Amino acid sequence: MDSEKSMFGGAIRPTWPSLLLLLTTMLVLSYQISTMTGLPSWAGSVWGASETAPADPTRSRSCSGFFFGGVGAAPPRRKTVMSIRDFGGVADGTTSNTEAFRKAMRYMQTKQESGGAQLNVPEGRWLTGSFNLTSNFTLFLEEGAVILGSQDPKEWPIIEPLPSYGRGRERLGGRHISLIHGDGLTDVVITGHNGTIDGQGKMWWELWWNRTLEYTRVHPVYCSNVVIKDMTILAPLNAPNTDGIDADSCTNVCIEDCYIESGDDLIAVKSGWDHYGIKMARPSSNIIVRRVSGTTPTCSGVGIGSEMSGGISNVTIEDLHVWNSAAGVRLKSDKGRGGYIENVTISNIKMERVKTPIKFSRGSNDHPDKGWDPKAVPKVKGIFISNIVSLNSTKAPVLQGVEGASYEGICLRNVTILGLAASAAWQCEFVAGFANDVFPTPCPQMQDMGSFNWCQQH
Ligand SMILES: *[C@@H]1O[C@H](CO)[C@@H](O)[C@H](O)[C@H]1NC(C)=O
Ligand SMILES: *[C@@H]1O[C@H](CO)[C@@H](O)[C@H](O)[C@H]1NC(C)=O
Ligand SMILES: *[C@@H]1O[C@H](CO)[C@@H](O)[C@H](O)[C@H]1NC(C)=O
Ligand SMILES: *[C@@H]1O[C@H](CO)[C@@H](O)[C@H](O)[C@H]1NC(C)=O
Ligand SMILES: *[C@@H]1O[C@H](CO)[C@@H](O)[C@H](O)[C@H]1NC(C)=O
Ligand SMILES: *[C@@H]1O[C@H](CO)[C@@H](O)[C@H](O)[C@H]1NC(C)=O
Ligand SMILES: *[C@@H]1O[C@H](CO)[C@@H](O)[C@H](O)[C@H]1NC(C)=O
Ligand SMILES: *[C@@H]1O[C@H](CO)[C@@H](O)[C@H](O)[C@H]1NC(C)=O
């Protein structure tokens, strides 16, 4: 995997609550400035034109340029550029820089309407508690720069739960703020020359095991126009609830060229939980995930749901490489969720030693509180899965829909799952779809002629 790794830029190491961005428009994470020239391609909408009519096929498969006015455009230049040292920062790995970062951000906020600002973090180990970003702002980690998350919980204040979840996902009440946090911002870039954000998550994982902690992750919520590119995200493989990247109630999101090792899903797409998510009604839509590789022993390469009550649509996932993982592609919903999952295209996935390559499942009575509505069933239709090869798998696909809300238009084409025992059988329930060129032979629910046309059109 060396050749793949060498192209990744920033690294997020054992993170716990590392990065959370709320209500943010135009966000670029770990954008490698050095690769800008030549790469930009997407002028205009994240969804559409360049996908179907590529002028240059090598360019068409990157959405990295789509914020900056199209081909050849540069990322925003900020009028004010300063270093964390200018704010009294000390890079010895033990001195707290929380005040330095907060002071820097207060100053940079005054520049947001006059050309914006960039904060450079030079080489060295910068210990800090949580700080908030601002608009028209670039956080730039120079080569050898490491931002270290403070081990003092007092430096991670508790904030309100997300309204689309109503409560903490794992526990009641609020959540610790993220190490790098932003709320209601526009035009934020976090980038650099292969810098590292190390949340030093061990303390948080212990707190979680000790059942005293809520979780958070690299987590854009209620955001639009998000690019997450060239990142390496490493969490111990046994660390709880450490999804690599969660796109949560976000629109126009491009995640590409990332390497992720995680104790939870590598990439997850969500949109709120039961009645809280239905009420908030913030869907996740127009999401592209491509060229992501990694491993997660207990979870899946890509997970859609289980919280999807605000709706999820127009998701394209392609060119993934997943190994030594519990599942490859997972879709999860249940009664009470409401919402929908529609127009999901998953193709070109290579899996090795993935236990269950394709898994649609229900939760296990997993609701925020007693206020959930058993009549709120999810609507799932138009899931296209093609060009999948899975080697040394142990379970045939599991396709479990929700009773009273059968999934429709589930299309499988050119799917080869090898390594299964001869007795391994598909498990299908409350689904209808069509499978073409699929091995091993699918369940009868996947020979639904009503779905045939739907699947052929794609
Ligand atoms: C960001 O900068 C643009 C001009 O480039 C300005 O129009 C906008 O108001 C600024 N945003 C904020 C939140 O100050
Ligand atoms: C950061 O923003 C949150 C709201 O999103 C707020 O509760 C917190 O006090 C802010 N922290 C700082 C240091 O300004
Ligand atoms: C980035 O840094 C990591 C170590 O933190 C190193 O393994 C990797 O090769 C570096 N990548 C580049 C492109 O310099
Ligand atoms: C978690 O509990 C273990 C013992 O059960 C203890 O040694 C450890 O210090 C606790 N960790 C935290 C962060 O509270
Ligand atoms: C999804 O894409 C289709 C076109 O392919 C478009 O008609 C629809 O509006 C999109 N949905 C959302 C929520 O953007
Ligand atoms: C799904 O795609 C169809 C056809 O492009 C479009 O009409 C529909 O609006 C899309 N659904 C959603 C929820 O975006
Ligand atoms: C089937 O999928 C494999 C693996 O992605 C790909 O190499 C092959 O070209 C596909 N075949 C067809 C007919 O599309
Ligand atoms: C699959 O398993 C066989 C037999 O154990 C082994 O020889 C082969 O290397 C494995 N392949 C992969 C891709 O794991």
Side-chain angles (χ1 to χ4, degrees):
M1 296 316 335
D2 283 345
S3 63
E4 277 185 53
K5 271 190 181 165
S6 66
M7 54 193 284
F8 301 123
I12 291 200
R13 281 183 179 280
T15 60
W16 187 283
S18 60
L19 212 69
L20 174 91
L21 293 125
L22 283 163
L23 282 167
T24 300
T25 50
M26 205 173 148
L27 165 74
V28 183
L29 290 179
S30 199
Y31 197 94
Q32 285 241 294
I33 306 267
S34 54
T35 65
M36 265 317 283
T37 21
L39 264 181
S41 62
W42 281 35
S45 164
V46 63
W47 196 264
S50 60
E51 286 293 288
T52 50
D56 169 350
T58 57
R59 289 181 170 196
S60 72
R61 287 160 67 83
S62 170
C63 37
S64 42
F66 91 108
F67 290 133
F68 307 128
V71 177
R77 278 189 202 289
R78 312 303 186 186
K79 201 165 160 196
T80 305
V81 179
M82 291 179 76
S83 161
I84 184 65
R85 287 195 208 284
D86 300 331
F87 299 91
V90 179
D92 61 4
T94 53
T95 306
S96 169
N97 290 291
T98 308
E99 215 21 71
F101 274 104
R102 290 182 184 174
K103 198 166 142 196
M105 294 317 306
R106 281 195 297 272
Y107 180 76
M108 306 229 137
Q109 192 174 13
T110 67
K111 303 290 173 193
Q112 68 182 19
E113 282 172 67
S114 47
Q118 172 168 322
L119 182 65
N120 290 339
V121 181
E123 183 183 353
R125 294 169 67 78
W126 305 87
L127 183 72
T128 181
S130 163
F131 62 94
N132 288 348
L133 302 175
T134 186
S135 291
N136 289 347
F137 172 74
T138 300
L139 180 66
F140 191 98
L141 277 70
E142 293 175 7
E143 198 166 346
V146 181
I147 294 181
L148 287 171
S150 161
Q151 300 272 285
D152 178 0
K154 285 199 289 294
E155 297 210 279
W156 305 71
I158 306 278
I159 56 173
E160 292 285 299
L162 292 168
S164 53
Y165 288 76
R167 49 162 279 191
R169 181 66 182 82
E170 300 297 304
R171 306 181 52 79
L172 294 169
R175 58 208 160 101
H176 284 274
I177 198 167
S178 304
L179 178 58
I180 299 178
H181 179 87
D183 190 349
L185 308 180
T186 55
D187 188 358
V188 180
V189 178
I190 301 175
T191 186
H193 290 141
N194 203 20
T196 300
I197 300 171
D198 179 352
Q200 304 204 96
K202 191 162 171 288
M203 171 188 79
W204 303 98
W205 294 315
E206 281 179 5
L207 284 168
W208 191 91
W209 292 120
N210 293 4
R211 307 197 66 74
T212 55
L213 181 78
E214 181 53 20
Y215 75 151
T216 350
R217 303 142 298 202
V218 182
H219 195 178
V221 197
Y222 319 136
C223 294
S224 55
N225 302 342
V226 178
V227 170
I228 300 176
K229 189 172 162 55
D230 296 328
M231 286 186 100
T232 301
I233 300 176
L234 306 173
L237 297 175
N238 64 352
N241 287 100
T242 47
D243 282 359
I245 300 167
D246 269 11
D248 194 346
S249 294
C250 288
T251 52
N252 297 352
V253 178
C254 174
I255 299 168
E256 61 184 16
D257 298 312
C258 292
Y259 174 84
I260 304 173
E261 291 177 5
S262 158
D264 208 314
D265 294 345
L266 304 184
I267 306 279
V269 182
K270 300 177 183 289
S271 67
W273 199 12
D274 287 3
H275 42 296
Y276 295 104
I278 295 170
K279 185 165 172 228
M280 182 109 182
R282 292 278 299 232
S284 273
S285 62
N286 299 351
I287 314 264
I288 293 179
V289 178
R290 58 160 81 90
R291 296 186 301 269
V292 170
S293 56
T295 179
T296 166
T298 53
C299 289
S300 47
V302 48
I304 299 180
S306 75
E307 306 90 327
M308 39 63 70
S309 305
I312 292 175
S313 72
N314 294 359
V315 179
T316 299
I317 294 163
E318 58 191 18
D319 302 325
L320 259 52
H321 184 191
V322 181
W323 58 90
N324 296 357
S325 300
V329 171
R330 183 185 52 82
L331 194 148
K332 194 168 173 189
S333 187
D334 211 341
K335 279 188 177 149
R337 293 283 189 271
Y340 55 87
I341 302 176
E342 243 185 89
N343 302 342
V344 176
T345 303
I346 298 170
S347 62
N348 298 329
I349 316 285
K350 183 174 175 194
M351 306 186 207
E352 289 159 289
R353 298 168 304 279
V354 169
K355 200 172 153 203
T356 316
I358 300 174
K359 184 171 184 178
F360 295 0
S361 62
R362 296 184 289 266
S364 41
N365 205 18
D366 177 25
H367 304 288
D369 54 39
K370 291 204 172 74
W372 68 280
D373 175 6
K375 289 197 289 294
V377 289
K379 190 170 111 189
V380 177
K381 68 174 184 186
I383 314 290
F384 304 89
I385 301 178
S386 66
N387 298 359
I388 310 281
V389 177
S390 183
L391 303 175
N392 293 9
S393 322
T394 54
K395 285 192 79 177
V398 174
L399 303 180
Q400 278 182 341
V402 171
E403 187 174 5
S406 279
Y407 297 179
E408 302 165 39
I410 310 299
C411 309
L412 266 55
R413 191 179 63 218
N414 186 18
V415 173
T416 307
I417 296 166
L418 300 175
L420 302 178
S423 59
W426 290 52
Q427 290 175 45
C428 300
E429 197 180 30
F430 313 123
V431 291
F434 195 82
N436 188 8
D437 193 11
V438 170
F439 179 87
T441 306
C443 51
Q445 288 92 329
M446 290 300 292
Q447 299 301 335
D448 168 48
M449 288 319 285
S451 298
F452 177 78
N453 279 345
W454 184 312
C455 295
Q456 289 301 104
Q457 274 164 22
H458 202 69

